Amino acid sequence: MCGILAVLGCVDNSQAKRSRIIELSRRLKHRGPDWSGLHCHGDCYLAHQRLAIIDPTSGDQPLYNEDKTVIVTVNGEIYNHKQLRQNLSSHRFRTGSDCEVIAHLYEEHGEEFIDMLDGMFSFVLLDTRDKSFIAARDAIGITPLYLGWGLDGSIWFASEMKALSDDCERFISFPPGHIYSSKKGGLKRWYTPPWFSEQIPSTPYDPMVLRETFEKAVVKRLMTDVPFGVLLSGGLDSSLVAAVANRHLADSAIAQQWGSQLHTFCIGLKGSPDLKAAKEVADYLGTRHHELHFTVQVTISRHPSLFCVKMIFCYFCWLPEATFLLLFLYQEGIDALEEVIYHTETYDVTTIRASTPMFLMSRKIKSLGVKMVLSGEGSDEIFGGYLYFHKAPNKEEFHEETCRKIKALHLYDCLRANKSTSAWGIEARVPFLDKEFINTAMSIDPEWKMIRSDLGRIEKWVLRNAFDDEKNPYLPKHILYRQKEQFSDGVGYSWIDGLKEHANNQVTDGMLLHANYIYPENTPTTKEAYHYRTIFEKFFPKNAARSTVPGGPSVACSTAKAVEWDAAWSKNPDPSGRAALGVHEAAYEDIVDTKLAEPKNGSL
């Protein structure tokens, strides 16, 4: 996952300005430690920090067309680049980079080529022939991008806010599925799938179509020239990613270079739900499993009524050999909060809770020489997997909520997964957010996605059932039907409790009482939220920065609209999965047959 910075239309094009662009680009070096590139054309600058995943030897950026009149700096991966190259046979390619097709597609099709790209990407392209430019972001916003405006009339684009926040008077998060065109004068949506209008679909559920589309999404993400692995929490989503990748790895090109045994990675408090389930999945699949533990120790502080939460980074285990290496003990988790907020550029409570263990795990993954991982983000939004979906009153509201959740992914899970891993120069790929898979899954009549205990359907039943293969099982049955755990919960409930206790030590009752005067926008309502907000404001003090972070009430990761589903939720605003009272502890004793329950008389 690379870092891009583009500044176009500067009044000042002096050497001092060039030096400033280089300085700002270096703020993104964690995203791309393998190469730094800069192209200057008059008052336009395109800078790039490269993480080399495809064609490490010759794919340095910026990239060009044949005569270098078109320059592009790209963050992301274009999975269908080989097919696109075949349709560009009259063009001469300089590198093996998957991203070079963008320059040539622009030559052939002008600005109307974006939807041809299958992948995750954000890019800025400069046409020096008329000094026009475009910038675009992928359909869901898997890769981050910010858009800013300088007082001198310049327009800025950057992978992270920190590269433009000091020099732009105003900036926003670049909306996913959009293109910015200097010729057409602003932003325009290029991604308009059927589900975006939130109309209720009616396509019957076909488990084999769903399974095959997902397998294709995983396989195309095995495109890499460097070592990779899978983030395995032991939940349904990451386990399916691992299971499918494991089945197809031996037949992939990467196996010839790096071997056919899949590497999996997990982090959690010792005894946490995720660690136990992840190890079981890894043993079942026969992966080379790497398990990272941390613990929370609570000790009495100088104030008897307060506690100091100490996070200790304990063991790093290489499985299946089960050789435990004691590495070091120090207050990693709590001490990492400032770094996590600096890198994720958010003060959202759920995001920070989940980002911290992911941030710690990414550091150790990087130490093993791994540069790319597959992850399970997006499934809960598509299939209504969060526990609060148990309360959805009907299929219409269920579907509308999944649409709202997908549209907001770039502000939450995509942001967390990308920036937590990119902090250490690792790229995260998310098969569930494949364009074709989303379109397939979101076309299913949402009645099939509804949680129906009377029919033996728990959350994400349509996905579980699609991979419930008796003859050739993908996963153990109890893993396939394991109840949803949010990542910040699954790594161990003591983690969230520890964060709350730590915040209690940092924020007084009086501070929280006057929070609406200090932070009138998105006013924090808990001490934990207040603490994160103070750290964020230290790094990003501008009004524009705080406005990039979403707000509003939420229960168990719901949108504000879904809070209305249960009157009791307004009194319990905690975003943890445990906030869905009566749901997380609910057992499914009545579920005997989890196989497909056919609708009667053509209806559900």
Side-chain angles (χ1 to χ4, degrees):
M1 196 56 63
C2 306
I4 63 174
L5 172 64
V7 186
L8 305 123
C10 301
V11 172
D12 178 9
N13 61 353
S14 65
Q15 180 60 42
K17 187 67 174 182
R18 178 190 176 99
S19 298
R20 177 61 175 166
I21 299 299
I22 292 173
E23 176 189 346
L24 294 172
S25 179
R26 284 175 181 158
R27 294 184 183 181
L28 305 175
K29 199 169 184 64
H30 53 276
R31 299 184 62 87
D34 299 330
W35 174 259
S36 298
L38 175 66
H39 183 98
C40 304
H41 180 80
D43 57 0
C44 298
Y45 302 84
L46 275 70
H48 192 265
Q49 301 289 340
R50 187 187 185 206
L51 179 66
I53 303 292
I54 302 297
D55 186 23
T57 57
S58 71
D60 297 334
Q61 296 194 34
L63 297 163
Y64 306 88
N65 66 338
E66 289 89 339
D67 61 4
K68 292 194 172 183
T69 55
V70 175
I71 308 122
V72 62
T73 179
V74 189
N75 170 30
E77 305 291 345
I78 310 302
Y79 302 122
N80 63 335
H81 74 104
K82 289 184 178 179
Q83 298 94 303
L84 292 171
R85 281 182 182 236
Q86 291 175 1
N87 297 325
L88 295 165
S89 56
S90 63
H91 291 255
R92 180 172 59 86
F93 284 78
R94 297 172 178 273
T95 75
S97 170
D98 55 297
C99 295
E100 190 181 343
V101 295
I102 292 174
H104 301 288
L105 285 170
Y106 172 79
E107 281 192 293
E108 285 287 324
H109 304 282
E111 298 180 358
E112 306 303 320
F113 71 91
I114 312 298
D115 204 20
M116 299 178 187
L117 302 175
D118 182 8
M120 56 178 185
F121 56 83
S122 48
F123 68 82
V124 180
L125 181 150
L126 173 65
D127 187 339
T128 63
R129 294 168 294 191
D130 58 5
K131 288 193 65 177
S132 64
F133 63 87
I134 60 173
R137 191 177 183 187
D138 66 64
I140 304 300
I142 301 167
T143 62
L145 188 64
Y146 293 84
L147 164 61
W149 295 269
L151 286 173
D152 62 354
S154 57
I155 298 180
W156 295 57
F157 301 92
S159 293
E160 293 184 5
M161 189 163 56
K162 59 182 63 67
L164 52 68
S165 58
D166 291 345
D167 291 65
C168 291
E169 186 65 16
R170 183 170 178 264
F171 47 90
I172 62 171
S173 176
F174 194 105
H178 279 71
I179 179 174
Y180 184 100
S181 168
S182 64
K183 289 180 180 177
K184 297 180 180 178
L187 288 160
K188 178 185 176 182
R189 170 165 287 279
W190 64 264
Y191 179 60
T192 54
W195 62 265
F196 198 83
S197 65
E198 301 184 12
Q199 291 185 350
I200 310 305
S202 58
T203 303
Y205 167 54
D206 186 330
M208 290 309 300
V209 169
L210 193 66
R211 182 200 294 187
E212 291 167 4
T213 308
F214 182 68
E215 293 214 34
K216 282 176 59 181
V218 173
V219 169
K220 72 175 67 170
R221 282 159 180 79
L222 300 181
M223 178 188 80
T224 178
D225 293 327
V226 298
F228 84 103
V230 176
L231 302 183
L232 177 63
S233 71
L236 172 68
D237 308 326
S238 64
S239 297
L240 283 179
V241 172
V244 174
N246 197 55
R247 287 196 177 196
H248 293 276
L249 181 58
D251 297 326
S252 68
I254 189 64
Q256 300 176 13
Q257 189 172 2
W258 300 107
S260 58
Q261 186 176 29
L262 185 67
H263 287 248
T264 52
F265 306 90
C266 186
I267 190 170
L269 301 176
K270 195 146 191 171
S272 69
D274 278 1
L275 287 183
K276 180 181 177 182
K279 183 180 185 303
E280 185 173 357
V281 172
D283 289 345
Y284 180 83
L285 298 177
T287 70
R288 179 74 177 272
H289 192 55
H290 311 275
E291 183 179 285
L292 180 62
H293 299 165
F294 62 88
T295 65
V296 179
Q297 292 186 345
V298 183
T299 59
I300 300 297
S301 70
R302 287 178 295 178
H303 301 282
S305 62
L306 300 178
F307 293 89
C308 174
V309 179
K310 295 183 178 179
M311 297 297 303
I312 300 178
F313 208 63
C314 285
Y315 294 101
F316 187 68
C317 314
W318 292 73
L319 299 176
E321 292 86 0
T323 302
F324 290 81
L325 302 178
L326 181 61
L327 295 179
F328 34 72
L329 302 174
Y330 55 96
Q331 298 180 41
E332 180 74 0
I334 297 301
D335 290 345
L337 281 176
E338 289 206 5
E339 278 189 280
V340 168
I341 292 171
Y342 172 76
H343 280 289
T344 58
E345 302 179 322
T346 186
Y347 49 83
D348 176 69
V349 170
T350 305
T351 302
I352 294 167
R353 286 176 176 178
S355 292
T356 305
M358 201 168 193
F359 175 87
L360 297 177
M361 179 167 57
S362 297
R363 186 176 189 176
K364 297 311 299 177
I365 292 173
K366 182 67 172 184
S367 73
L368 297 174
V370 172
K371 298 173 73 174
M372 186 273 282
V373 292
L374 303 183
S375 190
E377 274 75 24
S379 173
D380 291 313
E381 287 74 14
I382 296 169
F383 296 104
Y386 292 108
L387 298 178
Y388 74 89
F389 275 94
H390 281 243
K391 299 283 188 176
N394 51 59
K395 74 174 187 178
E396 289 80 13
E397 292 201 40
F398 188 105
H399 179 72
E400 289 166 2
E401 177 71 359
T402 59
C403 294
R404 290 191 293 266
K405 291 293 291 181
I406 296 172
K407 292 175 184 179
L409 267 169
H410 67 291
L411 300 172
Y412 295 103
D413 287 35
C414 287
L415 180 148
R416 166 183 55 79
N418 182 281
K419 293 183 179 178
S420 296
T421 53
S422 292
W424 299 106
I426 294 175
E427 175 175 282
R429 297 181 180 177
V430 283
F432 281 106
L433 297 182
D434 179 83
K435 277 198 303 182
E436 182 182 355
F437 180 75
I438 292 177
N439 289 339
T440 297
M442 292 301 289
S443 69
I444 299 171
D445 186 333
E447 188 69 45
W448 289 96
K449 296 181 182 179
M450 294 281 286
I451 293 102
R452 294 281 303 274
S453 58
D454 58 322
L455 296 177
R457 296 183 190 162
I458 63 174
E459 64 276 355
K460 293 188 289 194
W461 175 85
V462 293
L463 181 63
R464 302 173 195 271
N465 179 73
F467 285 90
D468 194 351
D469 189 331
E470 297 286 352
K471 295 182 179 179
N472 189 17
Y474 284 78
L475 294 167
K477 183 83 75 172
H478 64 283
I479 294 291
L480 192 62
Y481 290 93
R482 181 190 175 199
Q483 189 177 26
K484 165 68 182 173
E485 295 272 8
Q486 287 171 216
F487 181 58
S488 53
D489 290 339
V491 296
Y493 291 127
S494 298
W495 166 235
I496 291 177
D497 296 335
L499 286 173
K500 291 180 178 179
E501 195 62 51
H502 173 70
N504 285 338
N505 292 338
Q506 309 300 316
V507 180
T508 66
D509 293 339
M511 292 164 69
L512 188 61
L513 181 65
H514 300 118
N516 61 313
Y517 298 106
I518 305 299
Y519 304 118
E521 295 180 3
N522 282 351
T523 303
T525 58
T526 66
K527 290 185 176 181
E528 185 184 5
Y530 192 105
H531 181 47
Y532 299 158
R533 183 65 172 271
T534 59
I535 297 172
F536 177 88
E537 296 275 343
K538 180 171 67 174
F539 294 123
F540 309 105
K542 285 188 176 180
N543 225 10
R546 64 182 67 99
S547 296
T548 64
V549 182
S554 174
V555 169
C557 281
S558 73
T559 67
K561 179 67 176 175
V563 173
E564 300 172 6
W565 291 351
D566 191 321
W569 284 349
S570 62
K571 303 174 183 178
N572 186 29
D574 192 333
S576 166
R578 290 176 291 174
L581 298 175
V583 173
H584 183 267
E585 297 298 327
Y588 296 102
E589 296 94 346
D590 296 335
I591 299 177
V592 178
D593 183 8
T594 56
K595 294 300 290 179
L596 180 63
E598 293 290 347
K600 297 179 180 179
N601 301 323
S603 62
L604 295 173

